[in-house]
Amino acid sequence: MQILQRCLEHRFEHGEKTQLKGSETSREQETYLVDKVGSEYSPPALNGRTSRGIRRRKAVLGAIYTLVGTMVAYMMVDVLIAPLTPVWIRQPACRWLLLTDCRMLMLESEYNNLIDAKTRPEDLFSDSRVVHEIPQYVLDYAPLVHLFSEEQFWPCDIAEHLSHITPELNYTPIEGRLQKTSNLTNLDELNMYEKGRHVFLTSNDNVEERPDWLGGQKNIPDEFDDNTRNCHSERCGIREESHGGRSDAPAVLIMVEKGHGIVDAFWFYFYSYNLGNIVFNIRWGNHVGDWEHTLIRFQHGKPKLVFFSEHNFGSAYSYNAVEKIGERPVVYSATGTHAMYATPGVHPYILPLGLLHDQTDRGPLWDPVLNSHTYTYNHVTDALYASNITPHAPTQWFYFAGHWGDKFYPLDDDRQYGLAGEYHYVNGPLGPRFKNLGRKKVCQGAYADPCVIKHWLDAEEDEVRVWPGVEEGEDWSEDEGMRPPGTRAEDDGSGWLTPK
């Protein structure tokens, strides 16, 4: 009867008249109606409010299921699939999906990998002006360096540094005219001794006595005048143009044209002494000679990235992220170690043995543009040229393949002590030629190493760097791809590649 009743109601709602006489609702009639009407039966419509509520709930649940499913799929692609996908597929996928893992790839592909690995030397030398001229934009966006206010070891002149050293090979002075007359125009001749690899420019003085030339006090930059003195915040944003800041110690600019509109401007700063950091009240990592650098990467004349060298690694930022005076990036040099940072303050490291840190502040402002040796460099042929700005700048010193300071002192030397492979005094550094000038990524280091581009300065506050240890100090990389041309296995010993 229930089935019959529903059937009747259905018929009535559709305006059809079904007449049943009195009690003639026999089983036959019921069967007839079910057969007749049941095939046409559909559930009665709900009232409007109930119907809309059900549809709304279904839509919300559908949206939730879709969102959850999309998020799960997104995470699966981002974490599990993207890293294993070939680059030629991953790059367009990154642009469409903006995956987390891909964001770094996009930065590297857009900023770091714009350089064609197949760049030919003849492409870079087709126009002599491209090779030898420094574009004005390189100077317009040159960095300004805040040295530490209580620094003990200031910038030094590489020419004067050479007047206080004796070249040594395995702790033994090299005999001959180069023993006393090494200078910027003949320093490369030291490469005749084991390709220069084990040659150390050793101090003539006991560095423990801190001779004047080691500290570079006379090279403190001139007084500068800008609104820095009224800046009490850790980050003052864009400051007004500065005046002054000249040091008697020339900086070194090396511009590298890399094709596709990419130009790298390396600014090198030299110090005659590096004062290491303290761990458990013991100082580690002192060395004679210290090369630091800042890299500004341009694309079509516009600054895109800034790299700050820190010991044997560093940090990279987008140009828009860093502090500026006018349009020029501001760099902070750490006390003693001269590591380069994007902000003032304390920059900690974690060691297995304890805690150490670098420290920077708004000390004297150094403008390297006011006094510098400027060059252009072909990273394919290992050819350095004096630029149109300083056309008489010597180039021979650049090819010296040895160390710009003393070899780490043996443990029987009263000045030396060591623990767990770390030493109080370590090797002097290699020169700019060994700083991977042909790098594709803006970061120094092997090509396979990660290169994270930071887009805000606060990112540095949350970062605690892990100190890799310096052991005996810097030496030629075992990875020949990291060495400059002329120091690899195919070299004939002259400092240039052997023609094949």
Side-chain angles (χ1 to χ4, degrees), residues 249-266:
V252 174
L253 166 63
I254 300 177
M255 191 197 78
V256 186
E257 168 70 48
K258 295 183 175 177
H260 299 285
I262 301 296
V263 170
D264 282 352
F266 291 86

Side-chain angles (χ1 to χ4, degrees), residues 59-75:
V60 171
L61 288 174
I64 292 174
Y65 293 152
T66 302
L67 179 61
V68 172
T70 302
M71 292 177 64
V72 171
Y74 188 90
M75 293 172 63

Side-chain angles (χ1 to χ4, degrees), residues 151-374:
E151 181 62 70
Q152 301 177 55
F153 301 97
W154 302 90
C156 292
D157 186 339
I158 55 177
E160 182 181 0
H161 181 80
L162 294 180
S163 68
H164 296 283
I165 60 90
T166 296
E168 290 190 356
L169 186 65
N170 297 323
Y171 302 110
T172 302
I174 292 176
E175 300 291 342
R177 69 179 183 86
L178 292 176
Q179 181 179 7
K180 296 296 183 182
T181 62
S182 294
N183 57 57
L184 298 180
T185 63
N186 65 9
L187 196 63
D188 60 326
E189 295 179 25
L190 291 171
N191 291 347
M192 70 177 67
Y193 302 98
E194 299 182 10
K195 297 185 180 180
R197 179 172 186 173
H198 302 295
V199 175
F200 289 81
L201 306 181
T202 306
S203 170
N204 295 330
D205 302 294
N206 181 358
V207 296
E208 293 276 286
E209 297 175 357
R210 301 294 191 260
D212 291 342
W213 66 271
L214 212 61
Q217 292 281 339
K218 65 181 182 180
N219 300 318
I220 298 175
D222 298 338
E223 187 72 15
F224 60 93
D225 180 21
D226 66 1
N227 64 342
T228 303
R229 299 188 185 281
N230 299 320
C231 178
H232 303 290
S233 169
E234 285 297 301
R235 289 169 181 80
C236 296
I238 297 178
R239 292 184 268 155
E240 297 174 1
E241 290 289 352
S242 66
H243 303 279
R246 184 187 187 280
S247 171
D248 287 339
V252 174
L253 166 63
I254 300 177
M255 191 197 78
V256 186
E257 168 70 48
K258 295 183 175 177
H260 299 285
I262 301 296
V263 170
D264 282 352
F266 291 86
W267 290 91
F268 285 94
Y269 320 102
F270 182 77
Y271 307 81
S272 285
Y273 193 75
N274 178 99
L275 186 67
N277 277 317
I278 294 177
V279 183
F280 292 143
N281 208 32
I282 301 175
R283 194 175 295 279
W284 304 91
N286 294 349
H287 54 83
V288 177
D290 189 20
W291 283 103
E292 302 292 341
H293 73 274
T294 307
L295 164 60
I296 313 293
R297 173 162 288 182
F298 298 89
Q299 183 180 14
H300 303 302
K302 302 295 183 182
K304 296 295 184 181
L305 298 173
V306 184
F307 176 76
F308 302 79
S309 69
E310 302 161 16
H311 308 290
N312 60 345
F313 44 96
S315 296
Y317 293 82
S318 66
Y319 168 78
N320 291 333
V322 301
E323 181 185 338
K324 303 173 189 67
I325 295 179
E327 295 181 331
R328 300 176 64 179
V330 176
V331 181
Y332 293 88
S333 176
T335 177
T337 67
H338 311 120
M340 318 300 289
Y341 293 93
T343 58
V346 175
H347 309 275
Y349 294 84
I350 290 180
L351 268 176
L353 300 178
L355 182 69
L356 80 162
H357 63 268
D358 280 324
Q359 187 173 359
T360 60
D361 68 8
R362 298 182 188 278
L365 189 66
W366 180 14
D367 185 350
V369 171
L370 300 179
N371 184 20
S372 57
H373 301 303
T374 61

